[in-house]
Amino acid sequence: MKTYIPLLFQKRHVLPGGRIPLRIAPGPQMAAFKAAMREGNSFGVCMFDQDEHGHHFFQIGTRVTVEDFDVSPSNGCLIVTVAGHENFTIDHMEETDDGFFCGDCQYIPPWPETEVRQDQQILAEKLKQMFNKHPELGDLHQKKQFDNLSWLCQRWLELLPVPASEKQMLLSAPSCSDTYDYLISIMQKPH
Protein backbone atom coordinates (compact mmCIF):
# COMPACT_ATOMS: atom_id res chain seq x y z
CA MET A 1 0.00 0.00 0.00
CA LYS A 2 1.23 3.51 -0.86
CA THR A 3 0.77 6.72 1.08
CA TYR A 4 1.87 10.36 0.75
CA ILE A 5 2.91 11.83 4.10
CA PRO A 6 5.02 14.63 5.63
CA LEU A 7 8.49 13.41 6.63
CA LEU A 8 10.60 14.37 9.63
CA PHE A 9 14.28 13.44 9.72
CA GLN A 10 15.47 12.68 13.23
CA LYS A 11 18.53 11.28 14.98
CA ARG A 12 16.19 9.39 17.35
CA HIS A 13 14.60 6.35 15.82
CA VAL A 14 11.16 4.89 16.44
CA LEU A 15 10.05 1.56 15.01
CA PRO A 16 6.72 -0.30 14.85
CA GLY A 17 5.36 -0.96 18.34
CA GLY A 18 7.63 1.71 19.85
CA ARG A 19 6.92 4.99 21.57
CA ILE A 20 9.43 7.81 21.96
CA PRO A 21 9.49 11.54 22.62
CA LEU A 22 10.76 13.65 19.71
CA ARG A 23 11.95 17.25 19.76
CA ILE A 24 10.26 19.31 17.01
CA ALA A 25 12.27 22.46 16.31
CA PRO A 26 10.76 25.70 14.98
CA GLY A 27 11.03 26.05 11.20
CA PRO A 28 10.63 23.24 8.65
CA GLN A 29 10.14 20.53 11.32
CA MET A 30 7.32 22.52 12.94
CA ALA A 31 5.76 23.15 9.51
CA ALA A 32 5.86 19.39 8.78
CA PHE A 33 4.31 18.65 12.18
CA LYS A 34 1.49 21.17 11.59
CA ALA A 35 0.83 19.73 8.12
CA ALA A 36 0.63 16.24 9.61
CA MET A 37 -1.88 17.43 12.22
CA ARG A 38 -4.03 19.05 9.51
CA GLU A 39 -3.92 15.86 7.41
CA GLY A 40 -4.92 13.47 10.20
CA ASN A 41 -2.15 13.05 12.80
CA SER A 42 0.15 10.80 10.74
CA PHE A 43 3.67 11.45 9.48
CA GLY A 44 6.90 9.63 8.76
CA VAL A 45 9.98 9.64 10.98
CA CYS A 46 13.10 8.92 8.95
CA MET A 47 16.74 8.37 9.86
CA PHE A 48 19.66 10.49 8.75
CA ASP A 49 23.38 10.68 9.36
CA GLN A 50 25.52 13.77 9.25
CA ASP A 51 29.12 13.68 8.06
CA GLU A 52 31.66 16.03 6.47
CA HIS A 53 29.65 15.92 3.20
CA GLY A 54 26.39 17.04 4.86
CA HIS A 55 23.22 15.06 5.59
CA HIS A 56 22.55 11.57 4.29
CA PHE A 57 18.86 10.63 4.30
CA PHE A 58 17.84 6.97 4.43
CA GLN A 59 15.01 5.26 2.54
CA ILE A 60 13.35 3.33 5.38
CA GLY A 61 11.20 5.24 7.87
CA THR A 62 8.32 4.60 10.26
CA ARG A 63 4.79 6.00 10.09
CA VAL A 64 3.89 7.47 13.47
CA THR A 65 0.94 9.11 15.16
CA VAL A 66 1.06 11.71 17.94
CA GLU A 67 -0.03 10.55 21.38
CA ASP A 68 0.93 13.58 23.47
CA PHE A 69 2.91 16.81 23.23
CA ASP A 70 4.24 19.59 25.42
CA VAL A 71 6.28 22.77 24.91
CA SER A 72 9.83 22.79 26.25
CA PRO A 73 10.11 25.74 28.68
CA SER A 74 13.81 26.22 27.89
CA ASN A 75 13.70 26.69 24.11
CA GLY A 76 10.08 26.69 22.90
CA CYS A 77 10.46 23.43 20.99
CA LEU A 78 7.64 20.93 21.00
CA ILE A 79 8.31 17.62 22.73
CA VAL A 80 6.02 15.15 20.96
CA THR A 81 5.44 11.56 22.09
CA VAL A 82 4.84 9.43 19.01
CA ALA A 83 3.80 5.81 18.50
CA GLY A 84 5.38 3.83 15.66
CA HIS A 85 3.06 1.85 13.39
CA GLU A 86 4.64 0.47 10.22
CA ASN A 87 7.89 0.82 8.32
CA PHE A 88 7.96 2.16 4.77
CA THR A 89 10.41 2.91 2.00
CA ILE A 90 10.42 6.31 0.36
CA ASP A 91 9.76 5.97 -3.38
CA HIS A 92 9.89 9.70 -4.10
CA MET A 93 10.41 12.77 -1.92
CA GLU A 94 9.86 16.46 -2.60
CA GLU A 95 10.40 19.66 -0.67
CA THR A 96 7.32 21.80 -0.01
CA ASP A 97 7.13 25.60 -0.17
CA ASP A 98 7.34 25.58 3.65
CA GLY A 99 10.76 23.88 3.54
CA PHE A 100 9.83 20.40 4.74
CA PHE A 101 9.69 17.15 2.82
CA CYS A 102 6.77 14.94 1.86
CA GLY A 103 7.17 11.52 0.36
CA ASP A 104 5.42 8.83 -1.64
CA CYS A 105 5.94 5.85 0.64
CA GLN A 106 5.42 2.11 0.20
CA TYR A 107 4.71 0.12 3.37
CA ILE A 108 7.04 -2.78 4.21
CA PRO A 109 5.51 -6.00 5.60
CA PRO A 110 6.03 -6.14 9.37
CA TRP A 111 8.38 -8.63 10.92
CA PRO A 112 6.34 -11.67 11.98
CA GLU A 113 5.82 -12.09 15.70
CA THR A 114 8.34 -14.67 16.90
CA GLU A 115 8.19 -16.44 20.24
CA VAL A 116 11.33 -15.97 22.33
CA ARG A 117 13.22 -19.24 22.81
CA GLN A 118 14.97 -20.05 26.09
CA ASP A 119 18.41 -19.28 24.59
CA GLN A 120 17.13 -15.85 23.43
CA GLN A 121 15.90 -14.74 26.88
CA ILE A 122 18.98 -12.56 27.36
CA LEU A 123 17.41 -9.84 25.17
CA ALA A 124 14.30 -9.77 27.36
CA GLU A 125 16.28 -9.86 30.62
CA LYS A 126 18.60 -7.04 29.57
CA LEU A 127 15.68 -4.91 28.37
CA LYS A 128 13.90 -5.44 31.72
CA GLN A 129 17.10 -4.29 33.44
CA MET A 130 17.25 -1.22 31.19
CA PHE A 131 13.61 -0.36 31.96
CA ASN A 132 14.26 -0.79 35.72
CA LYS A 133 17.33 1.45 35.52
CA HIS A 134 15.54 4.03 33.32
CA PRO A 135 11.82 3.86 34.25
CA GLU A 136 10.99 6.71 31.85
CA LEU A 137 11.84 4.33 28.97
CA GLY A 138 9.72 1.51 30.39
CA ASP A 139 6.83 3.90 31.06
CA LEU A 140 6.60 4.64 27.32
CA HIS A 141 5.42 1.06 26.69
CA GLN A 142 2.16 0.12 28.40
CA LYS A 143 2.06 -3.25 26.63
CA LYS A 144 5.49 -4.82 26.90
CA GLN A 145 5.99 -7.91 24.71
CA PHE A 146 8.98 -9.60 26.35
CA ASP A 147 7.91 -12.92 24.78
CA ASN A 148 7.97 -11.52 21.19
CA LEU A 149 11.47 -11.50 19.66
CA SER A 150 10.46 -9.03 16.90
CA TRP A 151 9.26 -6.50 19.50
CA LEU A 152 12.44 -6.96 21.58
CA CYS A 153 14.74 -6.51 18.59
CA GLN A 154 12.96 -3.32 17.53
CA ARG A 155 13.19 -1.85 21.03
CA TRP A 156 16.94 -2.55 21.11
CA LEU A 157 17.41 -0.94 17.69
CA GLU A 158 15.67 2.18 19.05
CA LEU A 159 17.85 2.29 22.16
CA LEU A 160 21.32 1.33 20.98
CA PRO A 161 23.62 3.80 19.19
CA VAL A 162 23.83 1.58 16.10
CA PRO A 163 24.74 3.54 12.92
CA ALA A 164 21.66 4.39 10.86
CA SER A 165 23.12 2.61 7.82
CA GLU A 166 23.30 -0.67 9.80
CA LYS A 167 19.77 -0.19 11.16
CA GLN A 168 18.53 0.32 7.60
CA MET A 169 20.17 -2.92 6.47
CA LEU A 170 18.64 -4.85 9.39
CA LEU A 171 15.16 -3.33 8.88
CA SER A 172 15.13 -4.33 5.21
CA ALA A 173 15.25 -8.04 6.21
CA PRO A 174 11.93 -9.98 6.17
CA SER A 175 12.26 -11.07 9.83
CA CYS A 176 14.08 -10.19 13.04
CA SER A 177 16.60 -13.08 12.86
CA ASP A 178 19.48 -10.99 11.41
CA THR A 179 18.82 -8.30 14.01
CA TYR A 180 18.83 -10.88 16.80
CA ASP A 181 22.21 -12.23 15.62
CA TYR A 182 23.57 -8.68 15.38
CA LEU A 183 22.35 -7.73 18.87
CA ILE A 184 23.73 -10.90 20.45
CA SER A 185 27.12 -10.28 18.84
CA ILE A 186 27.13 -6.76 20.38
CA MET A 187 26.02 -7.97 23.83
CA GLN A 188 28.62 -10.73 23.95
CA LYS A 189 31.54 -8.42 23.15
CA PRO A 190 33.70 -7.63 26.19
CA HIS A 191 33.35 -3.98 27.27
Side-chain angles (χ1 to χ4, degrees):
M1 186 172 106
K2 271 193 159 191
T3 189
Y4 185 76
I5 54 175
L7 303 172
L8 284 179
F9 294 89
Q10 294 271 326
K11 293 241 179 199
R12 297 211 53 205
H13 306 147
V14 60
L15 299 172
R19 292 179 78 240
I20 65 166
L22 296 175
R23 183 181 159 274
I24 309 290
Q29 283 194 342
M30 188 67 73
F33 176 75
K34 287 178 180 177
M37 295 299 94
R38 282 192 305 270
E39 299 296 321
N41 188 29
S42 188
F43 59 94
V45 174
C46 304
M47 301 177 192
F48 77 94
D49 272 340
Q50 197 168 353
D51 60 21
E52 66 275 7
H53 306 296
H55 289 62
H56 177 80
F57 302 112
F58 291 99
Q59 291 300 109
I60 297 176
T62 306
R63 185 184 71 82
V64 301
T65 54
V66 175
E67 297 206 333
D68 195 13
F69 62 90
D70 201 1
V71 177
S72 171
S74 61
N75 58 15
C77 289
L78 270 183
I79 306 300
V80 179
T81 301
V82 297
H85 296 287
E86 55 268 324
N87 285 337
F88 58 78
T89 57
I90 301 169
D91 292 337
H92 172 75
M93 171 170 78
E94 60 191 18
E95 190 171 357
T96 68
D97 293 339
D98 292 327
F100 66 90
F101 288 90
C102 283
D104 284 317
C105 302
Q106 183 79 37
Y107 290 123
I108 300 171
W111 285 346
E113 288 191 18
T114 306
E115 191 171 338
V116 176
R117 297 187 318 252
Q118 187 62 38
D119 62 319
Q120 298 170 326
Q121 284 292 328
I122 186 170
L123 284 188
E125 296 309 317
K126 288 194 175 284
L127 190 59
K128 288 175 187 176
Q129 290 172 9
M130 175 80 78
F131 285 171
N132 286 335
K133 189 173 181 180
H134 302 281
E136 70 281 5
L137 295 175
D139 291 348
L140 288 170
H141 305 282
Q142 286 91 23
K143 186 179 175 218
K144 298 171 181 69
Q145 300 177 41
F146 292 114
D147 57 348
N148 178 357
L149 190 61
S150 294
W151 186 86
L152 288 170
C153 287
Q154 290 177 105
R155 300 301 68 81
W156 279 114
L157 283 180
E158 290 171 345
L159 293 169
L160 292 174
V162 174
S165 58
E166 291 183 34
K167 288 184 185 183
Q168 292 281 303
M169 183 186 66
L170 294 168
L171 292 172
S172 66
S175 75
C176 66
S177 57
D178 290 348
T179 301
Y180 170 75
D181 292 342
Y182 179 87
L183 293 170
I184 287 300
S185 72
I186 290 174
M187 290 180 183
Q188 291 177 341
K189 282 182 185 170
H191 297 284

